[in-house]
Amino acid sequence: MKRWRKPLLYLVVAYLILLLGPIAGFDLPRIMGDIARDPQVLIQQILVGLVNGGIIAIIALGYTLVYGIIELINFAHGDLYMLGAFASLTVIGAFGVTDGVSLQVAIPAMFVALIIATVFCAGLNIITERYAYRPLRNAPRLAPLISAIGMSFIFQNTGLFWGGLKSFIPVMGANAAAPKSFPDLLPRIDILKAMGIESRIVFTTKDLIVLIVAVALMVGLHLFVQYTRLGKAMRATAQNRDAALIMGIDVDRIIALTFLIGGALAGAAGLLVGLYNNTIVFTMGFTAGLRAFTAAVLGGIGNIIGAMLGGVLIGLLSALSDQYLSSRWTNAWVFAVLVIILAFRPGGLLGENVQEKV
């Protein structure tokens, strides 16, 4: 039976591409012709995919950290990121800054918002772990999973309530469910034009800032886990909790640290997305969380490098699908690619080849 498994998978993939592909807009000759006629559009979409993929990767790290330590899929993580965006908007609204303010005014507001959003999300994540997940740590796996889904609904409704607090958030309207405008504080200078390069490719300083921050956070986390004493304790706990406890590692403290780091990353991502997209809504956590979880699984959940790779791939797939296929089919193509990859590599792209689990 095993001899026929791979040929059967190849046949299924060929069936999906040849039969269902045209229905979903997948026409390879047309796509190749579009790329040949205008390669600058392809480059533009790759840049968009890299920026969005970096943001997805930051959120995906929260999923992969928690799963790597306690094998829990923290479905509330996406909505925690949403609350980080709302916390950032609250702080920036308290400063009274609006679109077009000078960097001298915007930078202190963004810096304070970053600190408060990361501390708020980190603290909320620790509290969630302490009272919602820790009592269920030795329960059947379904119990903490249901608890995580419940926390997701609690966070989402908190965001809905938060969006209606007009007296506390001056820049928001009274309609809690409506998207909220986020002040455009990052400079938007076309880098190529500033360098004297005539091109239809648009890559602004705003894109560059988001990309640099995303890469810095991902690399910083990898270095922390790989080379610091606490990082080694995290890896030991992920490998074998009982053995780590015998060796004198405070497992509860390490797990709390993992939730702290994941929450801080969610808060930073919330601010980053607000500054980049200039709009937030209480449902944004579900969509972003779904793509980030997909990225973590695609790269190999429990693996930091895999989460980074998965986030970038999801960003690129989404951008290219929006351009060359149809935006309404983007999620379908993303999950189709996920299913195909998992069919051949059940552990994800790096799940079986990299020893680092967290």
Side-chain angles (χ1 to χ4, degrees):
M1 182 65 182
K2 291 184 178 180
R3 287 190 313 169
W4 295 97
R5 185 174 298 173
K6 280 194 175 182
L8 183 60
L9 287 175
Y10 286 124
L11 288 174
V12 171
V13 172
Y15 171 81
L16 290 174
I17 294 176
L18 295 177
L19 184 62
L20 301 181
I23 300 176
F26 185 82
D27 185 353
L28 187 58
R30 176 188 61 80
I31 294 173
M32 297 304 296
D34 291 343
I35 293 174
R37 281 191 297 271
D38 197 347
Q40 290 189 10
V41 173
L42 175 63
I43 298 173
Q44 179 69 71
Q45 293 307 314
I46 290 175
L47 292 174
V48 171
L50 288 175
V51 174
N52 290 328
I55 295 173
I56 293 172
I58 296 175
I59 305 172
L61 288 174
Y63 284 100
T64 208
L65 277 172
V66 171
Y67 186 87
I69 293 289
I70 60 176
E71 296 185 349
L72 168 69
I73 300 174
N74 184 16
F75 281 114
H77 186 72
D79 295 292
L80 182 69
Y81 138 82
M82 175 270 297
L83 292 179
F86 272 81
S88 303
L89 181 57
T90 302
V91 174
I92 290 176
F95 273 83
V97 296
T98 56
D99 296 346
V101 298
S102 64
L103 285 178
Q104 289 81 358
V105 176
I107 289 177
M110 289 189 291
F111 182 72
V112 174
L114 176 63
I115 294 176
I116 292 180
T118 53
V119 171
F120 169 74
C121 289
L124 187 58
N125 219 22
I126 291 176
I127 293 173
T128 302
E129 186 276 330
R130 176 63 181 84
Y131 296 103
Y133 300 151
R134 189 179 298 181
L136 303 173
R137 193 174 295 166
N138 296 319
R141 289 191 178 185
L142 185 61
L145 184 65
I146 296 299
S147 179
I149 294 174
M151 291 307 303
S152 174
F153 281 113
I154 292 173
F155 287 171
Q156 189 172 114
N157 282 272
T158 301
L160 176 63
F161 176 74
W162 199 337
L165 296 179
K166 185 176 180 181
S167 59
F168 295 115
I169 309 177
V171 296
M172 289 187 175
N175 186 358
K180 315 303 175 186
S181 297
F182 206 103
D184 191 3
L185 304 179
L186 295 179
R188 193 191 297 268
I189 302 171
D190 193 321
I191 296 176
L192 296 180
K193 286 186 177 180
M195 296 172 62
I197 301 174
E198 291 297 329
S199 173
R200 289 186 292 109
I201 299 173
V202 179
F203 187 67
T204 66
T205 50
K206 191 173 185 178
D207 299 316
L208 182 62
I209 291 171
V210 170
L211 197 57
I212 290 174
V213 172
V215 171
L217 288 174
M218 290 186 287
V219 172
L221 177 63
H222 174 69
L223 295 177
F224 172 81
V225 171
Q226 190 68 33
Y227 297 108
T228 66
R229 184 176 180 180
L230 287 175
K232 293 177 181 178
M234 290 172 65
R235 287 189 282 137
T237 304
Q239 187 172 8
N240 191 317
R241 265 187 283 171
D242 293 332
L245 190 62
I246 292 174
M247 295 301 295
I249 295 175
D250 189 340
V251 171
D252 287 338
R253 179 187 171 204
I254 294 301
I255 293 174
L257 174 66
T258 303
F259 275 84
L260 182 147
I261 295 173
L265 288 172
L271 172 63
L272 203 60
V273 169
L275 292 171
Y276 186 67
N277 294 330
N278 303 125
T279 183
I280 61 174
V281 66
F282 80 101
T283 56
M284 62 187 280
F286 174 78
T287 303
L290 186 61
R291 290 201 174 185
F293 174 67
T294 304
V297 174
L298 179 63
I301 192 164
N303 186 292
I304 285 182
I305 303 298
M308 299 178 192
L309 176 61
V312 172
L313 287 178
I314 294 295
L316 290 173
L317 282 172
S318 300
L320 294 176
S321 176
D322 289 344
Q323 176 64 41
Y324 294 108
L325 300 176
S326 174
S327 58
R328 64 178 179 173
W329 290 100
T330 295
N331 286 334
W333 281 115
V334 167
F335 281 97
V337 171
L338 173 67
V339 170
I340 291 171
I341 290 177
L342 292 183
F344 293 98
R345 295 186 63 86
L349 292 174
L350 301 182
E352 297 176 354
N353 300 332
V354 179
Q355 293 181 354
E356 181 186 6
K357 286 186 65 182
V358 301

